[in-house]
Amino acid sequence: MLFHVRMDVSIPRDLPADARADLLAREKAYSQALQSSGKWRHIWRIAGEYANVSILDVADNDELHEILSGLPLFPFMKITVMPLLRHPSAIRADDS
Amino acid sequence: MLFHVRMDVSIPRDLPADARADLLAREKAYSQALQSSGKWRHIWRIAGEYANVSILDVADNDELHEILSGLPLFPFMKITVMPLLRHPSAIRADDS
Amino acid sequence: MLFHVRMDVSIPRDLPADARADLLAREKAYSQALQSSGKWRHIWRIAGEYANVSILDVADNDELHEILSGLPLFPFMKITVMPLLRHPSAIRADDS
Amino acid sequence: MLFHVRMDVSIPRDLPADARADLLAREKAYSQALQSSGKWRHIWRIAGEYANVSILDVADNDELHEILSGLPLFPFMKITVMPLLRHPSAIRADDS
Amino acid sequence: MLFHVRMDVSIPRDLPADARADLLAREKAYSQALQSSGKWRHIWRIAGEYANVSILDVADNDELHEILSGLPLFPFMKITVMPLLRHPSAIRADDS
Amino acid sequence: MLFHVRMDVSIPRDLPADARADLLAREKAYSQALQSSGKWRHIWRIAGEYANVSILDVADNDELHEILSGLPLFPFMKITVMPLLRHPSAIRADDS
Amino acid sequence: MLFHVRMDVSIPRDLPADARADLLAREKAYSQALQSSGKWRHIWRIAGEYANVSILDVADNDELHEILSGLPLFPFMKITVMPLLRHPSAIRADDS
Amino acid sequence: MLFHVRMDVSIPRDLPADARADLLAREKAYSQALQSSGKWRHIWRIAGEYANVSILDVADNDELHEILSGLPLFPFMKITVMPLLRHPSAIRADDS
Amino acid sequence: MLFHVRMDVSIPRDLPADARADLLAREKAYSQALQSSGKWRHIWRIAGEYANVSILDVADNDELHEILSGLPLFPFMKITVMPLLRHPSAIRADDS
Amino acid sequence: MLFHVRMDVSIPRDLPADARADLLAREKAYSQALQSSGKWRHIWRIAGEYANVSILDVADNDELHEILSGLPLFPFMKITVMPLLRHPSAIRADDS
């Protein structure tokens, strides 16, 4: 089941440099593990912004929230979610 | 080059039924031809709305506008565009 | 799987009275059938507005959209959807 | 009498960890006591957000405010309230 | 129980003059009957706008909606509602 | 002359407890003195919010601003003002 | 007593040309009579828009509303009002 | 050439009292010098807000920006600008 | 003197095809004459929208409004204006 | 390929004066190098605001983001991007 997720990141300036670096490394590892498992289907950077658009493929709303609230950057992000489904004009096998 | 496009459709009530059916058939054919060519990379329906989120893969802004303004439903849609690029954490070959 | 749905209704003034009455009768029957089946878990009127807040319990996003886009009033409603899940403080068995 | 309440939580980063833990424990106990009494009829997490949607069943506006302003997290929440009532299409005994 | 209600009126231009006059006469009578009964506690015009702010004193949300949805101008108004209660600094007997 | 005033309060967390208590005591005294004089005609709490709706009855805009900018909580409030006048359907002597 | 008024004009396309011309002539005469009397203190066009910013100098809110609601273009305008007063740094005799 | 300028002031709480007093004194002197020279044509306080509406009469956009960015309070203000011109219905010699 | 102008076009569906074609031809000629004269310095299409961003170089606000209100499409456009000036980091001779 | 970029700057007050001066010097050098190379086609100050409108001419979205995210002021700016293309009425050779 697909969800469209937009994440806008805003890391506080007073976070020490190493805490910040650690946070970003954990975020990257977390995201890539989920991409490898197929649950984080797509991720794109929005040009000019510290933000991404992602497509998640999860079993249900619980799993969606579990993944998002587990993001190392979760306390520093504004997240907006839209449920998606296959479009009647879609031809790609993997657009649903 | 990837663009995130959201299209919200609002077809006037007074459009005759056959004109409407013809319009929708042409829209579907137009979209599917571009999906086949690879330029319309993804299309998803947003649950509960007469709207879609699409990812277009075009040569440049000119081609993007040529495709969008050529949509049979273009006069009846509100379109919003965001330029995308590969996210530094992306692992899929086709997320750029 | 639960979804929070808000529906704001705006029926055009020029719809003939009997078409309007028929539409509303079909909307009521449609909603009540889904309430009986358990898929439309709750529905409340918002005081002072021609609008409702509903909780739907569906298998997935596809079923959610199928139900919402099938509403007789769908062409005359603005619908907004939020995916819900069990709250960690919830004690009621049926809040998930 | 039913009210739809949305609560968006934002706990300051500089709150010490134990103060935060204590706050959350008191919030949970407070909410569960009211759920047990029947006054806090429903509570759901909104997927991807540190926010909930709740349905309160109170005697009047005074009791509603007394409950909400007494929330341990009240100073750290944005709360929005909508009065609800039974929908004319509702069939469940407990949707009013 | 008090509610703050704002009503913004927008009567369609194509309503015939006598239908409009009749509508406004019925609206006035409806409002004045409720003011006499004490349920419509206050009504003020907002300067420069075809809008009013009102304070209603009703038994519950049901009665609030029954009154508002029964307004002759209801189909032509945007209504927004806020539940009110006695302010801890209030000294007037009738501010609750 | 009547004005509708909405005040949303946001007291900084780092204000010492006694400074806060003193501030609130002065605010209450200030408001009650103006209520006694008849210039602060009504005040209601908005349910679920640290906010009030008030009706002020002042000689002119200067007096309105003098009263509002003199509020002990003025630096910590967002204030919005709307000029009111007697509604043509009003029947109460004191709704103007 | 001064008020800042912004008026955004939107005349329906289907108004016959002579009705429109008559309306605009009456609007101009109405405005100029009030400018002559000193009640309509200033009027400026906003560049690029069919809109104006005006300063009215009236006895009270009642007179303000009487003037604005009497505008021939009133049914076709969106009006927003802000009460003004002398600024503590003002040096001009006529800025209050 | 006239410009409509709205300035909303928000001075940080942690600015020492004498720095604040000095800032406000310099702001007042700066504004009054420009009022004397005729470049700051009008200034009014907005009732209930720490904000003003001003009319500036400058040679061009460069001079407008030079004046506004030179305001001692510039770092603590949100400024919005609208270019104005003589209204076709204006009768005052000095409304352009 | 430079102004940033955004124009969003919305031509009514019921405008006859030849009236529409005539309107667009006159708009194009009008724009190109001003581009030739140097007053309409730049014009770009916004991708995916029936809208443009333009830079106008005019003597003053009066000329700006004369040009914009004279656009054949003026009745069918939403126009927003921002005054611009040379940026302190600009190096191009023609960016002012 | 052209992009319209608006940058709103907000430098924290607690940044030491020399860090701020260094930041601004690096920002200016960065911008001017890109202007010299032709990639930063235009830059204008918005009157009354600490903001600019720029036109960038880049190879693709990747280069756009590389330039914008590399701005020394990037952590202190809100950036909004719109893809542009040649307008069908444009006559200047360099408006595409």
Short mmCIF file of all heavy atoms in Angstrom, two decimals, chain A residues 2 4 6 28 32 35-36 41-45 47 52 55 82-85 87-92 95, chain B residues 2 4 6 28 32 35-36 41-47 52 55 82-85 87-92 95:
data_model
loop_
_atom_site.label_atom_id
_atom_site.label_comp_id
_atom_site.label_asym_id
_atom_site.label_seq_id
_atom_site.Cartn_x
_atom_site.Cartn_y
_atom_site.Cartn_z
N LEU A 2 0.60 2.17 -0.90
CA LEU A 2 1.52 3.28 -1.12
C LEU A 2 1.09 4.56 -0.40
O LEU A 2 -0.11 4.87 -0.33
CB LEU A 2 1.64 3.56 -2.61
CG LEU A 2 2.11 2.38 -3.48
CD1 LEU A 2 2.20 2.81 -4.94
CD2 LEU A 2 3.44 1.85 -2.99
N HIS A 4 2.38 8.76 -0.08
CA HIS A 4 3.22 9.89 -0.49
C HIS A 4 3.58 10.64 0.78
O HIS A 4 2.70 11.05 1.55
CB HIS A 4 2.40 10.79 -1.42
CG HIS A 4 3.11 12.00 -1.95
ND1 HIS A 4 3.30 13.13 -1.21
CD2 HIS A 4 3.65 12.24 -3.16
CE1 HIS A 4 3.93 14.02 -1.95
NE2 HIS A 4 4.15 13.51 -3.14
N ARG A 6 6.00 13.78 2.38
CA ARG A 6 6.95 14.90 2.22
C ARG A 6 7.58 15.19 3.57
O ARG A 6 6.86 15.30 4.57
CB ARG A 6 6.22 16.14 1.69
CG ARG A 6 7.18 17.31 1.57
CD ARG A 6 6.58 18.58 1.04
NE ARG A 6 7.56 19.65 1.20
CZ ARG A 6 7.78 20.65 0.37
NH1 ARG A 6 7.02 20.75 -0.71
NH2 ARG A 6 8.72 21.55 0.58
N LYS A 28 20.64 8.21 7.34
CA LYS A 28 20.95 7.62 6.04
C LYS A 28 20.88 6.09 6.10
O LYS A 28 20.30 5.44 5.22
CB LYS A 28 22.35 8.06 5.60
CG LYS A 28 22.70 7.64 4.18
CD LYS A 28 23.99 8.33 3.73
CE LYS A 28 24.15 8.23 2.21
NZ LYS A 28 25.21 9.12 1.72
N GLN A 32 18.29 3.77 4.05
CA GLN A 32 18.77 2.81 3.05
C GLN A 32 18.36 1.38 3.39
O GLN A 32 18.08 0.58 2.49
CB GLN A 32 20.29 2.95 2.90
CG GLN A 32 20.62 4.32 2.26
CD GLN A 32 22.08 4.50 1.92
OE1 GLN A 32 22.95 3.89 2.54
NE2 GLN A 32 22.36 5.34 0.93
N GLN A 35 14.92 1.17 2.15
CA GLN A 35 14.91 1.12 0.68
C GLN A 35 15.27 -0.29 0.21
O GLN A 35 14.66 -0.83 -0.72
CB GLN A 35 15.89 2.13 0.09
CG GLN A 35 15.41 3.59 0.26
CD GLN A 35 16.41 4.58 -0.34
OE1 GLN A 35 16.63 4.60 -1.55
NE2 GLN A 35 17.04 5.39 0.50
N SER A 36 16.27 -0.86 0.87
CA SER A 36 16.69 -2.23 0.49
C SER A 36 15.57 -3.23 0.70
O SER A 36 15.37 -4.15 -0.11
CB SER A 36 17.90 -2.65 1.33
OG SER A 36 19.00 -1.81 1.05
N ARG A 41 9.95 2.93 -1.13
CA ARG A 41 10.00 2.67 -2.56
C ARG A 41 10.81 3.69 -3.35
O ARG A 41 11.53 3.35 -4.28
CB ARG A 41 8.55 2.61 -3.06
CG ARG A 41 8.34 2.18 -4.48
CD ARG A 41 8.31 0.68 -4.65
NE ARG A 41 7.02 0.12 -4.31
CZ ARG A 41 5.98 0.00 -5.18
NH1 ARG A 41 6.11 0.43 -6.42
NH2 ARG A 41 4.85 -0.54 -4.79
N HIS A 42 10.60 5.00 -3.04
CA HIS A 42 11.31 6.06 -3.76
C HIS A 42 11.66 7.18 -2.78
O HIS A 42 10.95 7.40 -1.80
CB HIS A 42 10.43 6.68 -4.86
CG HIS A 42 10.00 5.74 -5.93
ND1 HIS A 42 10.85 5.30 -6.91
CD2 HIS A 42 8.80 5.18 -6.18
CE1 HIS A 42 10.18 4.48 -7.73
NE2 HIS A 42 8.94 4.39 -7.30
N ILE A 43 12.76 7.88 -3.11
CA ILE A 43 13.09 9.10 -2.39
C ILE A 43 13.77 10.07 -3.35
O ILE A 43 14.67 9.68 -4.10
CB ILE A 43 13.99 8.83 -1.15
CG1 ILE A 43 14.30 10.13 -0.40
CG2 ILE A 43 15.27 8.09 -1.52
CD1 ILE A 43 14.95 9.94 0.97
N TRP A 44 13.25 11.32 -3.36
CA TRP A 44 13.85 12.36 -4.20
C TRP A 44 14.06 13.63 -3.38
O TRP A 44 13.25 13.97 -2.52
CB TRP A 44 12.92 12.71 -5.38
CG TRP A 44 12.65 11.59 -6.31
CD1 TRP A 44 13.48 11.09 -7.26
CD2 TRP A 44 11.43 10.83 -6.42
NE1 TRP A 44 12.86 10.06 -7.95
CE2 TRP A 44 11.61 9.89 -7.46
CE3 TRP A 44 10.21 10.86 -5.75
CZ2 TRP A 44 10.61 8.98 -7.83
CZ3 TRP A 44 9.21 9.96 -6.12
CH2 TRP A 44 9.42 9.03 -7.14
N ARG A 45 15.14 14.32 -3.66
CA ARG A 45 15.39 15.65 -3.09
C ARG A 45 14.54 16.68 -3.85
O ARG A 45 14.39 16.57 -5.09
CB ARG A 45 16.89 15.98 -3.24
CG ARG A 45 17.28 17.40 -2.92
CD ARG A 45 17.17 17.74 -1.46
NE ARG A 45 18.23 17.16 -0.66
CZ ARG A 45 18.01 16.67 0.57
NH1 ARG A 45 16.81 16.69 1.11
NH2 ARG A 45 19.01 16.16 1.27
N ALA A 47 14.47 20.29 -5.28
CA ALA A 47 15.54 21.24 -5.62
C ALA A 47 15.41 22.54 -4.83
O ALA A 47 14.34 23.16 -4.79
CB ALA A 47 15.52 21.55 -7.12
N ASN A 52 12.49 16.27 1.18
CA ASN A 52 12.37 15.20 0.19
C ASN A 52 10.92 14.80 0.00
O ASN A 52 10.07 15.03 0.85
CB ASN A 52 13.22 13.98 0.59
CG ASN A 52 12.64 13.22 1.77
OD1 ASN A 52 11.62 12.54 1.63
ND2 ASN A 52 13.27 13.32 2.93
N ILE A 55 8.02 7.83 -1.51
CA ILE A 55 6.89 6.93 -1.68
C ILE A 55 7.18 5.71 -0.81
O ILE A 55 8.19 5.03 -1.01
CB ILE A 55 6.73 6.50 -3.15
CG1 ILE A 55 6.64 7.72 -4.08
CG2 ILE A 55 5.51 5.59 -3.30
CD1 ILE A 55 5.41 8.57 -3.93
N MET A 82 0.03 11.52 2.36
CA MET A 82 -1.17 11.34 1.53
C MET A 82 -1.24 9.89 1.08
O MET A 82 -0.29 9.39 0.48
CB MET A 82 -1.10 12.20 0.25
CG MET A 82 -1.22 13.69 0.48
SD MET A 82 -1.48 14.60 -1.09
CE MET A 82 -0.01 14.12 -2.02
N PRO A 83 -2.38 9.21 1.34
CA PRO A 83 -2.53 7.84 0.83
C PRO A 83 -2.69 7.84 -0.69
O PRO A 83 -3.43 8.66 -1.24
CB PRO A 83 -3.81 7.35 1.52
CG PRO A 83 -4.54 8.59 1.96
CD PRO A 83 -3.52 9.66 2.14
N LEU A 84 -1.98 6.94 -1.34
CA LEU A 84 -2.03 6.82 -2.81
C LEU A 84 -2.62 5.47 -3.20
O LEU A 84 -2.65 4.53 -2.41
CB LEU A 84 -0.63 6.91 -3.40
CG LEU A 84 0.17 8.19 -3.20
CD1 LEU A 84 1.55 8.04 -3.86
CD2 LEU A 84 -0.55 9.39 -3.76
N LEU A 85 -3.01 5.36 -4.46
CA LEU A 85 -3.43 4.06 -5.00
C LEU A 85 -3.16 4.06 -6.49
O LEU A 85 -2.79 5.10 -7.06
CB LEU A 85 -4.91 3.79 -4.72
CG LEU A 85 -5.93 4.75 -5.27
CD1 LEU A 85 -7.19 4.00 -5.70
CD2 LEU A 85 -6.23 5.82 -4.22
N HIS A 87 -3.48 4.48 -10.26
CA HIS A 87 -4.28 5.37 -11.09
C HIS A 87 -4.88 4.54 -12.23
O HIS A 87 -4.21 3.68 -12.77
CB HIS A 87 -3.38 6.49 -11.64
CG HIS A 87 -4.14 7.61 -12.28
ND1 HIS A 87 -4.65 7.53 -13.54
CD2 HIS A 87 -4.50 8.83 -11.80
CE1 HIS A 87 -5.29 8.67 -13.83
NE2 HIS A 87 -5.20 9.47 -12.78
N PRO A 88 -6.13 4.81 -12.59
CA PRO A 88 -6.77 4.00 -13.64
C PRO A 88 -6.04 4.09 -14.99
O PRO A 88 -6.22 3.20 -15.83
CB PRO A 88 -8.19 4.57 -13.72
CG PRO A 88 -8.17 5.88 -13.01
CD PRO A 88 -7.08 5.78 -12.00
N SER A 89 -5.24 5.12 -15.19
CA SER A 89 -4.50 5.21 -16.46
C SER A 89 -3.09 4.65 -16.37
O SER A 89 -2.37 4.67 -17.37
CB SER A 89 -4.42 6.68 -16.91
OG SER A 89 -5.70 7.23 -17.14
N ALA A 90 -2.68 4.16 -15.20
CA ALA A 90 -1.30 3.69 -15.04
C ALA A 90 -1.04 2.45 -15.88
O ALA A 90 -1.93 1.60 -16.03
CB ALA A 90 -1.01 3.39 -13.57
N ILE A 91 0.16 2.37 -16.45
CA ILE A 91 0.49 1.16 -17.23
C ILE A 91 1.66 0.40 -16.60
O ILE A 91 1.87 -0.75 -16.92
CB ILE A 91 0.84 1.50 -18.69
CG1 ILE A 91 2.09 2.38 -18.78
CG2 ILE A 91 -0.34 2.17 -19.39
CD1 ILE A 91 2.62 2.54 -20.20
N ARG A 92 2.42 1.03 -15.72
CA ARG A 92 3.57 0.35 -15.12
C ARG A 92 3.10 -0.66 -14.07
O ARG A 92 2.24 -0.34 -13.23
CB ARG A 92 4.47 1.35 -14.41
CG ARG A 92 5.35 2.15 -15.36
CD ARG A 92 6.09 3.23 -14.59
NE ARG A 92 6.88 2.68 -13.50
CZ ARG A 92 8.19 2.80 -13.39
NH1 ARG A 92 8.89 3.45 -14.32
NH2 ARG A 92 8.83 2.30 -12.34
N ASP A 95 3.46 0.67 -10.38
CA ASP A 95 2.84 1.89 -9.87
C ASP A 95 1.66 1.57 -8.96
O ASP A 95 0.69 2.32 -8.86
CB ASP A 95 2.40 2.81 -11.03
CG ASP A 95 3.50 3.84 -11.35
OD1 ASP A 95 4.57 3.77 -10.72
OD2 ASP A 95 3.28 4.70 -12.21
N LEU B 2 13.92 14.94 -13.47
CA LEU B 2 12.64 14.58 -12.87
C LEU B 2 11.89 15.79 -12.31
O LEU B 2 12.48 16.71 -11.75
CB LEU B 2 12.88 13.58 -11.74
CG LEU B 2 13.58 12.28 -12.13
CD1 LEU B 2 13.72 11.36 -10.91
CD2 LEU B 2 12.82 11.56 -13.24
N HIS B 4 8.18 16.63 -10.05
CA HIS B 4 7.01 16.19 -9.31
C HIS B 4 5.85 17.08 -9.74
O HIS B 4 5.95 18.32 -9.68
CB HIS B 4 7.30 16.39 -7.81
CG HIS B 4 6.20 15.98 -6.87
ND1 HIS B 4 5.10 16.75 -6.63
CD2 HIS B 4 6.05 14.89 -6.10
CE1 HIS B 4 4.32 16.14 -5.74
NE2 HIS B 4 4.89 15.01 -5.40
N ARG B 6 1.64 17.68 -9.41
CA ARG B 6 0.33 17.34 -8.85
C ARG B 6 -0.74 17.98 -9.73
O ARG B 6 -0.67 19.16 -10.07
CB ARG B 6 0.21 17.88 -7.41
CG ARG B 6 -1.17 17.57 -6.84
CD ARG B 6 -1.41 18.04 -5.42
NE ARG B 6 -2.83 17.88 -5.15
CZ ARG B 6 -3.36 17.54 -3.98
NH1 ARG B 6 -2.55 17.37 -2.95
NH2 ARG B 6 -4.65 17.39 -3.83
N LYS B 28 -6.56 9.81 -21.26
CA LYS B 28 -5.97 8.51 -20.92
C LYS B 28 -4.96 8.07 -21.97
O LYS B 28 -3.85 7.62 -21.66
CB LYS B 28 -7.09 7.46 -20.78
CG LYS B 28 -6.60 6.11 -20.28
CD LYS B 28 -7.78 5.22 -19.92
CE LYS B 28 -7.34 4.03 -19.08
NZ LYS B 28 -8.50 3.34 -18.48
N GLN B 32 -0.99 7.55 -21.40
CA GLN B 32 -0.40 6.23 -21.57
C GLN B 32 0.70 6.23 -22.63
O GLN B 32 1.70 5.51 -22.50
CB GLN B 32 -1.48 5.20 -21.87
CG GLN B 32 -2.39 5.01 -20.64
CD GLN B 32 -3.40 3.89 -20.77
OE1 GLN B 32 -3.81 3.56 -21.88
NE2 GLN B 32 -3.82 3.32 -19.66
N GLN B 35 3.63 7.51 -20.84
CA GLN B 35 4.15 6.50 -19.92
C GLN B 35 4.96 5.45 -20.69
O GLN B 35 6.03 5.03 -20.25
CB GLN B 35 3.01 5.83 -19.16
CG GLN B 35 2.34 6.73 -18.11
CD GLN B 35 1.21 6.02 -17.38
OE1 GLN B 35 1.44 5.06 -16.64
NE2 GLN B 35 -0.01 6.47 -17.59
N SER B 36 4.43 5.07 -21.85
CA SER B 36 5.13 4.08 -22.67
C SER B 36 6.49 4.59 -23.11
O SER B 36 7.48 3.85 -23.16
CB SER B 36 4.29 3.73 -23.91
OG SER B 36 3.08 3.13 -23.53
N ARG B 41 7.00 9.05 -15.86
CA ARG B 41 7.62 7.94 -15.12
C ARG B 41 6.65 7.24 -14.15
O ARG B 41 6.66 6.02 -14.06
CB ARG B 41 8.81 8.51 -14.36
CG ARG B 41 9.70 7.53 -13.68
CD ARG B 41 10.73 6.92 -14.59
NE ARG B 41 11.88 7.79 -14.76
CZ ARG B 41 12.96 7.81 -13.93
NH1 ARG B 41 12.98 7.01 -12.88
NH2 ARG B 41 13.96 8.61 -14.18
N HIS B 42 5.87 8.01 -13.43
CA HIS B 42 4.92 7.43 -12.46
C HIS B 42 3.64 8.25 -12.45
O HIS B 42 3.67 9.46 -12.71
CB HIS B 42 5.49 7.45 -11.03
CG HIS B 42 6.74 6.68 -10.83
ND1 HIS B 42 6.77 5.32 -10.80
CD2 HIS B 42 8.03 7.09 -10.65
CE1 HIS B 42 8.01 4.90 -10.60
NE2 HIS B 42 8.80 5.96 -10.51
N ILE B 43 2.54 7.58 -12.10
CA ILE B 43 1.28 8.28 -11.86
C ILE B 43 0.51 7.52 -10.79
O ILE B 43 0.37 6.30 -10.86
CB ILE B 43 0.43 8.46 -13.14
CG1 ILE B 43 -0.87 9.20 -12.82
CG2 ILE B 43 0.13 7.12 -13.80
CD1 ILE B 43 -1.64 9.65 -14.07
N TRP B 44 0.06 8.27 -9.75
CA TRP B 44 -0.74 7.67 -8.68
C TRP B 44 -1.97 8.53 -8.42
O TRP B 44 -1.91 9.76 -8.46
CB TRP B 44 0.06 7.58 -7.37
CG TRP B 44 1.28 6.73 -7.44
CD1 TRP B 44 1.34 5.37 -7.44
CD2 TRP B 44 2.65 7.18 -7.50
NE1 TRP B 44 2.65 4.95 -7.50
CE2 TRP B 44 3.48 6.03 -7.53
CE3 TRP B 44 3.27 8.44 -7.52
CZ2 TRP B 44 4.87 6.10 -7.59
CZ3 TRP B 44 4.65 8.51 -7.58
CH2 TRP B 44 5.44 7.36 -7.62
N ARG B 45 -3.06 7.89 -8.12
CA ARG B 45 -4.27 8.57 -7.66
C ARG B 45 -4.10 8.93 -6.19
O ARG B 45 -3.54 8.14 -5.41
CB ARG B 45 -5.47 7.62 -7.83
CG ARG B 45 -6.76 8.08 -7.20
CD ARG B 45 -7.36 9.27 -7.89
NE ARG B 45 -8.01 8.94 -9.13
CZ ARG B 45 -7.95 9.74 -10.22
NH1 ARG B 45 -7.31 10.88 -10.18
NH2 ARG B 45 -8.57 9.38 -11.33
N ILE B 46 -4.55 10.12 -5.77
CA ILE B 46 -4.58 10.49 -4.35
C ILE B 46 -5.93 10.04 -3.79
O ILE B 46 -6.98 10.40 -4.32
CB ILE B 46 -4.41 12.02 -4.16
CG1 ILE B 46 -3.10 12.49 -4.81
CG2 ILE B 46 -4.47 12.39 -2.68
CD1 ILE B 46 -2.93 14.00 -4.81
N ALA B 47 -5.91 9.22 -2.72
CA ALA B 47 -7.15 8.63 -2.20
C ALA B 47 -8.15 9.71 -1.77
O ALA B 47 -7.82 10.63 -1.03
CB ALA B 47 -6.84 7.72 -1.01
N ASN B 52 -4.08 13.56 -9.05
CA ASN B 52 -2.99 12.60 -9.10
C ASN B 52 -1.66 13.26 -8.79
O ASN B 52 -1.50 14.47 -8.89
CB ASN B 52 -2.93 11.91 -10.48
CG ASN B 52 -2.41 12.81 -11.58
OD1 ASN B 52 -1.22 13.13 -11.64
ND2 ASN B 52 -3.31 13.27 -12.46
N ILE B 55 5.32 11.70 -11.62
CA ILE B 55 6.75 12.01 -11.77
C ILE B 55 7.05 12.00 -13.26
O ILE B 55 6.83 10.98 -13.92
CB ILE B 55 7.63 10.96 -11.05
CG1 ILE B 55 7.21 10.80 -9.58
CG2 ILE B 55 9.11 11.33 -11.18
CD1 ILE B 55 7.45 11.99 -8.69
N MET B 82 7.22 20.75 -8.98
CA MET B 82 8.44 20.89 -8.17
C MET B 82 9.58 20.15 -8.85
O MET B 82 9.44 18.94 -9.12
CB MET B 82 8.26 20.28 -6.77
CG MET B 82 7.30 21.00 -5.87
SD MET B 82 7.41 20.41 -4.13
CE MET B 82 7.03 18.67 -4.31
N PRO B 83 10.72 20.81 -9.10
CA PRO B 83 11.86 20.09 -9.66
C PRO B 83 12.48 19.16 -8.63
O PRO B 83 12.65 19.53 -7.47
CB PRO B 83 12.85 21.22 -10.03
CG PRO B 83 12.42 22.41 -9.25
CD PRO B 83 10.96 22.24 -8.93
N LEU B 84 12.79 17.94 -9.06
CA LEU B 84 13.38 16.92 -8.17
C LEU B 84 14.79 16.56 -8.64
O LEU B 84 15.16 16.82 -9.77
CB LEU B 84 12.53 15.64 -8.18
CG LEU B 84 11.08 15.72 -7.72
CD1 LEU B 84 10.43 14.33 -7.84
CD2 LEU B 84 10.99 16.20 -6.28
N LEU B 85 15.52 15.92 -7.77
CA LEU B 85 16.82 15.38 -8.17
C LEU B 85 17.13 14.18 -7.28
O LEU B 85 16.40 13.91 -6.32
CB LEU B 85 17.93 16.42 -8.05
CG LEU B 85 18.19 17.02 -6.68
CD1 LEU B 85 19.67 17.29 -6.49
CD2 LEU B 85 17.38 18.32 -6.57
N HIS B 87 18.31 11.94 -4.47
CA HIS B 87 18.57 12.19 -3.06
C HIS B 87 19.89 11.52 -2.69
O HIS B 87 20.17 10.41 -3.16
CB HIS B 87 17.43 11.60 -2.23
CG HIS B 87 17.43 12.04 -0.80
ND1 HIS B 87 18.25 11.49 0.14
CD2 HIS B 87 16.73 13.01 -0.17
CE1 HIS B 87 18.04 12.09 1.31
NE2 HIS B 87 17.13 13.01 1.15
N PRO B 88 20.70 12.17 -1.86
CA PRO B 88 22.01 11.57 -1.52
C PRO B 88 21.89 10.21 -0.83
O PRO B 88 22.86 9.45 -0.84
CB PRO B 88 22.66 12.62 -0.60
CG PRO B 88 21.56 13.53 -0.17
CD PRO B 88 20.54 13.50 -1.26
N SER B 89 20.74 9.90 -0.25
CA SER B 89 20.59 8.60 0.39
C SER B 89 19.95 7.55 -0.52
O SER B 89 19.77 6.40 -0.10
CB SER B 89 19.72 8.73 1.66
OG SER B 89 20.33 9.58 2.60
N ALA B 90 19.59 7.93 -1.74
CA ALA B 90 18.88 6.99 -2.62
C ALA B 90 19.78 5.82 -3.02
O ALA B 90 20.97 6.01 -3.23
CB ALA B 90 18.38 7.71 -3.87
N ILE B 91 19.18 4.64 -3.10
CA ILE B 91 19.97 3.48 -3.52
C ILE B 91 19.45 2.89 -4.84
O ILE B 91 20.15 2.15 -5.50
CB ILE B 91 20.00 2.36 -2.46
CG1 ILE B 91 18.58 1.81 -2.21
CG2 ILE B 91 20.60 2.86 -1.15
CD1 ILE B 91 18.56 0.54 -1.38
N ARG B 92 18.22 3.24 -5.23
CA ARG B 92 17.67 2.68 -6.47
C ARG B 92 18.30 3.35 -7.69
O ARG B 92 18.43 4.58 -7.73
CB ARG B 92 16.16 2.93 -6.53
CG ARG B 92 15.34 1.98 -5.69
CD ARG B 92 13.89 2.41 -5.68
NE ARG B 92 13.33 2.46 -7.03
CZ ARG B 92 12.31 1.72 -7.44
NH1 ARG B 92 11.72 0.87 -6.61
NH2 ARG B 92 11.85 1.85 -8.67
N ASP B 95 15.95 6.10 -9.31
CA ASP B 95 15.44 7.27 -8.59
C ASP B 95 16.17 8.54 -9.00
O ASP B 95 16.32 9.48 -8.23
CB ASP B 95 15.54 7.06 -7.07
CG ASP B 95 14.22 6.49 -6.50
OD1 ASP B 95 13.30 6.22 -7.30
OD2 ASP B 95 14.12 6.32 -5.27
#
